[in-house]
C-alpha cells in the first residue's frame, strides 16, 4: 500500500505488510530528493503478476507531484526490491527516477491520487492507464487546472523513463451545461491508436 498523501515524511513510499511471521512492514522509498512542503506521499498502488506465478512482480503507483513510480519486486530476495526506472544520464544505474511524470502545458505537476490500472501488453510488459487530479482540499472545488488521462506502455526490460515528448495527444471536450448532471464528456478525438505506441494522453479542462 502507499503511505498516503499529506504524509509526515512528504516522500512517496511503498509499504509492504507481511501477513505471516512477525507481520512486519517493509518500506521502499522513492528518492529522497522530493521537495518539502508539498504534502507528498504515495497513492493507492496497482500490483502486477507478469509471469502468472501468483506472486507480485511489479507495483505501479502515483503521487501528488505527478510522478508514476514503478517498483520491481520480482526478485526472490526482498533486499533487492527497488524502483525499476533509472536515470539514463547516470551510467552507474544508481539513480532511480519515476517511470513517468505528468505535467500540464505550463509544466505544473498533475497529481495522481487514484490507483493506476494495468494490463498485459500484446508485445510484452504492461499497459498502464493513469488519470490525474485531486479533490480533497478546499481549493480543489474551484480548480480549473488541466487534468489528463495517460496510457503508457512499460516495455519489458526497459528501465528508461517515458517522457512527455513520447506522448501522442488525444483531446476530448464537454457537452451540456457545465457543473450540472447534464454535463458529459465527449469521446477522444483522433481515431484508433497503434498497439506499438509508447504513450498517449488525453486532456480535459477543469477537475
Amino acid at each position: 500500500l502507499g503511505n498516503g498523501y499529506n504524509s509526515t515524511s512528504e516522500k512517496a513510499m511503498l509499504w509492504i505488510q507481511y501477513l505471516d511471521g512477525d507481520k512486519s512492514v517493509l518500506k521502499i522509498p522513492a528518492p529522497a530528493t522530493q521537495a518539502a512542503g508539498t504534502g507528498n506521499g504515495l497513492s493507492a498502488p496497482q500490483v502486477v503478476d507478469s509471469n502468472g506465478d501468483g506472486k507480485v512482480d511489479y507495483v505501479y503507483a502515483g503521487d501528488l507531484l505527478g510522478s508514476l513510480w514503478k517498483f520491481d519486486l520480482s526478485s526472490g530476495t526482498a533486499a533487492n526490491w527497488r524502483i525499476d526506472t533509472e536515470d539514463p544520464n547516470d551510467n552507474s544505474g544508481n539513480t532511480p527516477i519515476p517511470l513517468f511524470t505528468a505535467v500540464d502545458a505550463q509544466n505544473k505537476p498533475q497529481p495522481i491520487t487514484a490507483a493506476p490500472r494495468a494490463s498485459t501488453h500484446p508485445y510484452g510488459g504492461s499497459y498502464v492507464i493513469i488519470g490525474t487530479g485531486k479533490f480533497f482540499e478546499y481549493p480543489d472545488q474551484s480548480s480549473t487546472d488541466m487534468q489528463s488521462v495517460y496510457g503508457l506502455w512499460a516495455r519489458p526490460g526497459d528501465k528508461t523513463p517515458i517522457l512527455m515528448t513520447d506522448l501522442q495527444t488525444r483531446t476530448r471536450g464537454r457537452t451540456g451545461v457545465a457543473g450540472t448532471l447534464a454535463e458529459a464528456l465527449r469521446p477522444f478525438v483522433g481515431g484508433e491508436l497503434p498497439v506499438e505506441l509508447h504513450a498517449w494522453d488525453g486532456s480535459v479542462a477543469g477537475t
Side-chain angles (χ1 to χ4, degrees):
L1 64 158
N3 63 326
Y5 34 79
N6 289 330
S7 66
T8 302
S9 67
E10 296 189 301
K11 298 175 184 178
M13 187 175 299
L14 181 68
W15 289 20
I16 299 174
Q17 172 73 68
Y18 288 95
L19 300 180
D20 56 1
D22 62 359
K23 296 180 173 57
S24 59
V25 177
L26 175 64
K27 300 178 182 180
I28 305 177
T33 55
Q34 299 169 81
T38 61
N40 194 34
L42 198 70
S43 300
Q46 169 71 63
V47 300
V48 172
D49 174 9
S50 62
N51 56 10
D53 65 354
K55 299 178 181 179
V56 175
D57 294 301
Y58 299 99
V59 176
Y60 297 91
D63 66 22
L64 292 186
L65 302 181
S67 300
L68 176 67
W69 300 96
K70 179 183 178 182
F71 297 85
D72 182 357
L73 310 186
S74 60
S75 173
T77 304
N80 295 330
W81 296 349
R82 52 167 293 170
I83 300 291
D84 187 60
T85 314
E86 301 171 354
D87 186 346
N89 297 315
D90 180 4
N91 294 327
S92 70
N94 295 325
T95 306
I97 59 174
L99 172 64
F100 175 74
T101 301
V103 296
D104 63 17
Q106 285 70 47
N107 208 39
K108 182 177 181 180
Q110 297 173 302
I112 304 169
T113 55
R117 291 293 179 263
S119 61
T120 302
H121 193 280
Y123 293 164
S126 294
Y127 192 60
V128 184
I129 304 292
I130 58 172
T132 69
K134 64 185 181 74
F135 197 72
F136 60 84
E137 296 178 302
Y138 184 76
D140 298 338
Q141 300 180 40
S142 57
S143 173
T144 58
D145 290 345
M146 182 71 72
Q147 302 301 336
S148 303
V149 176
Y150 296 96
L152 311 167
W153 177 16
R155 295 168 174 167
D158 188 353
K159 295 184 178 296
T160 59
I162 299 173
L163 307 176
M164 293 295 292
T165 52
D166 294 325
L167 300 174
Q168 184 168 327
T169 300
R170 289 291 186 266
T171 58
R172 67 191 304 181
R174 299 175 184 269
T175 61
V177 181
T180 71
L181 293 176
E183 183 183 21
L185 292 174
R186 294 196 296 266
F188 288 116
V189 177
E192 295 182 356
L193 294 167
V195 68
E196 68 274 11
L197 184 68
H198 197 183
W200 60 267
D201 78 294
S203 299
V204 180
T207 55

